[in-house]
Amino acid sequence: MEELWPPPPREVADAIRSLCQRLLTETDALVNALAGPALVAQNDPALLADASLAEEDRALNRSDLVQWLTANVQHPGRRVEPYVGPRTTAYINDLVSRGIAPDFADAWRVALGIGWRRWLEECVAHCAAPDLLVGVLDVSAKSLAQYALDSVAALREAGLAAAMGNAGAEAVALIQLIAGGAPMAEDLAEGRLRYRLARWHVGLVLWVDDPEQADALDGAIPAMRAAGAGRSALVARASATSRWIWFSGPGIPDLHHVEKVMATAGVVRAAVGRPGHGLEGFRSSHQDALAAQALVTRLGSDRRLTAYADVELIDALTKDGAGARRFVVNTLGPLAEADVALRQALLTYVQCGFNTTRAAASLYAHRNTVERRVSRANELSAVKVEDNPTHVAAALLVLDIAPGIVATGPS
């Protein structure tokens, strides 16, 4: 790439190299600080709603950050060429195929503001001499600003290339429009998708955490289709790491076959929406599945199969992670960090209508064992189950989905 400013003096170059080496050790913290605000700044509801795409966007942020830092370790203060690797290319292809057009320029503006503030802190802390500080800030500002401009241009070029080479994107883009709530005549959508909409639907999101596991993802779909014989299915490639599926029928589809497939699907994970009828049911069930996926991703849960109907309350409770943690700790007290068997017994007891016999049958445990565990759990709980069973059950459900939430922040 053409150099647009002279190389820095040796002492400035050495300082930039040292600062970048130091910041490379806190890459995760930097990405945590800028990824969320940058995602919101892209101003696209479809991107915000899809946890798989959001994770790919986070990976792009990390790649951009590491590229600039490592380039400045090797050639301090010089112009940095953006790296558009296979994962970034796949991500851009997915966005184009679904008709998603994020505002990358605004995302870079937000990310650059956050990153520059952290860079200033490091510079002030480690560049004691005023002349050195001015020199480092002068050349690093040029390098960072140009890197942002070059990166946005590279993403736009990748988007244009994807649009020219993606002849099969029409169906996925149409699904994105329908799922996103765009007005659409039902008969028109049926004809273009070759999928009947005037019936009952259940939407699913299947995903893996790593793009290199995509073969397992594509292997699970034929198994689901085969196990669900007699049901119509629509499958769309949502991203490199996720697939959208709808099963439909004249009655509410039975998804026991999904549970069986997921039990042997290894790294593949699934989120299931509530059933719905017609075009609106097609949309709402899909939106439920996306919300369930986002919940599992947000809480760092290792659940393999999550039905939104089971976690809707938890979704509402945990939009604010710090608030959810406070709710759990304040409600359960010492029980939040006690033996999981105690919490499971108390939760099952409440879910079984405070019937010890039913709870014992559900837990495959002796009635006396369940009674002892319930009693001990209630002793530990800050809020007693007889005083507020709704709060206790909700807090236990949050912990059941995200057992690590209590350890994610200060008391």
Side-chain angles (χ1 to χ4, degrees):
M1 299 182 77
E2 179 187 0
E3 293 294 352
L4 302 178
W5 56 90
R10 181 173 179 178
E11 63 273 17
V12 171
D14 289 344
I16 291 174
R17 179 182 291 110
S18 177
L19 289 166
C20 288
Q21 288 171 332
R22 187 175 290 107
L23 287 174
L24 276 168
T25 66
E26 56 177 86
T27 302
D28 289 341
L30 282 168
V31 173
N32 287 340
L34 62 85
L39 183 68
V40 172
Q42 292 176 63
N43 195 31
D44 195 297
L47 185 57
L48 287 169
D50 191 317
S52 291
L53 288 183
E55 190 59 33
E56 290 306 295
D57 189 76
R58 181 186 178 84
L60 176 59
N61 279 304
R62 183 185 181 85
S63 174
D64 287 339
L65 176 63
V66 170
Q67 174 72 356
W68 189 82
L69 290 173
T70 54
N72 273 274
V73 169
Q74 297 166 355
H75 306 288
R78 310 309 290 138
R79 187 177 182 183
V80 176
E81 183 170 4
Y83 172 66
V84 181
R87 186 168 184 178
T88 300
T89 301
Y91 173 54
I92 298 299
N93 285 340
D94 292 333
L95 295 178
V96 170
S97 71
R98 288 171 55 178
I100 298 173
D103 188 339
F104 287 125
D106 217 25
W108 258 101
R109 177 187 59 78
V110 170
L112 197 59
I114 295 170
W116 180 249
R117 173 59 185 267
R118 184 69 189 93
W119 179 255
L120 283 177
E121 292 171 351
E122 284 294 303
C123 290
V124 170
H126 299 283
C127 298
D131 288 346
L132 177 61
L133 177 61
V134 170
V136 168
L137 292 177
D138 178 46
V139 73
S140 59
K142 292 184 176 91
S143 180
L144 267 173
Q146 190 61 46
Y147 183 55
L149 293 171
D150 291 340
S151 295
V152 172
L155 290 171
R156 285 174 176 163
E157 287 179 11
L160 288 172
M164 293 176 64
N166 201 342
E170 181 183 358
V172 179
L174 178 63
I175 290 171
Q176 177 68 61
L177 285 172
I178 297 170
M184 183 76 59
E186 194 171 275
D187 55 349
L188 173 63
E190 283 188 348
R192 292 172 67 180
L193 294 177
R194 297 181 181 177
Y195 174 82
R196 288 186 60 189
L197 290 169
R199 44 176 33 195
W200 283 92
H201 309 274
V202 173
L204 294 84
V205 175
L206 260 62
W207 80 98
V208 290
D209 296 322
D210 187 336
E212 294 185 4
Q213 300 168 335
D215 288 347
L217 182 63
D218 290 326
I221 293 171
M224 283 193 180
R225 281 183 147 170
R231 304 173 185 87
S232 295
L234 176 65
V235 179
R237 184 187 189 281
S239 73
T241 57
S242 66
R243 306 290 182 267
W244 293 347
I245 305 177
W246 286 264
F247 287 106
S248 68
I252 296 175
D254 180 355
L255 293 186
H256 286 309
H257 69 290
V258 172
E259 297 176 12
K260 293 178 181 177
V261 172
M262 291 304 300
T264 59
V267 295
V268 180
R269 311 173 77 180
V272 184
R274 292 169 297 194
H277 190 271
L279 185 62
E280 184 53 40
F282 179 92
R283 287 177 176 140
S284 63
S285 188
H286 173 67
Q287 289 164 352
D288 282 353
L290 284 176
Q293 181 198 19
L295 167 71
V296 168
T297 303
R298 182 173 73 244
L299 296 181
S301 172
D302 60 0
R303 279 199 171 197
R304 292 293 163 196
L305 178 63
T306 305
Y308 189 64
D310 296 338
V311 298
E312 185 174 10
L313 174 62
I314 308 309
D315 187 30
L317 281 173
T318 57
K319 295 290 188 185
D320 170 16
R325 181 184 180 278
R326 285 195 301 273
F327 171 72
V328 170
V329 171
N330 291 339
T331 302
L332 300 182
L335 180 59
E337 299 183 85
D339 187 346
V340 67
L342 296 180
R343 298 199 301 268
Q344 190 60 52
L346 183 58
L347 176 59
T348 306
Y349 174 68
V350 176
Q351 291 174 328
C352 290
F354 308 97
N355 186 308
T356 308
T357 302
R358 285 176 57 198
S362 178
L363 293 168
Y364 299 101
H366 193 278
R367 190 177 188 277
N368 292 342
T369 301
V370 173
E371 282 185 345
R372 285 196 302 271
R373 289 176 180 172
V374 167
S375 177
R376 179 57 180 154
N378 203 32
E379 287 176 8
L380 292 172
S381 182
V383 175
K384 306 308 176 187
V385 69
E386 62 270 19
D387 295 333
N388 198 329
T390 302
H391 277 207
V392 172
L396 289 168
L397 279 169
V398 172
L399 269 183
D400 186 51
I401 294 171
I405 195 170
V406 172
T408 59
S411 298

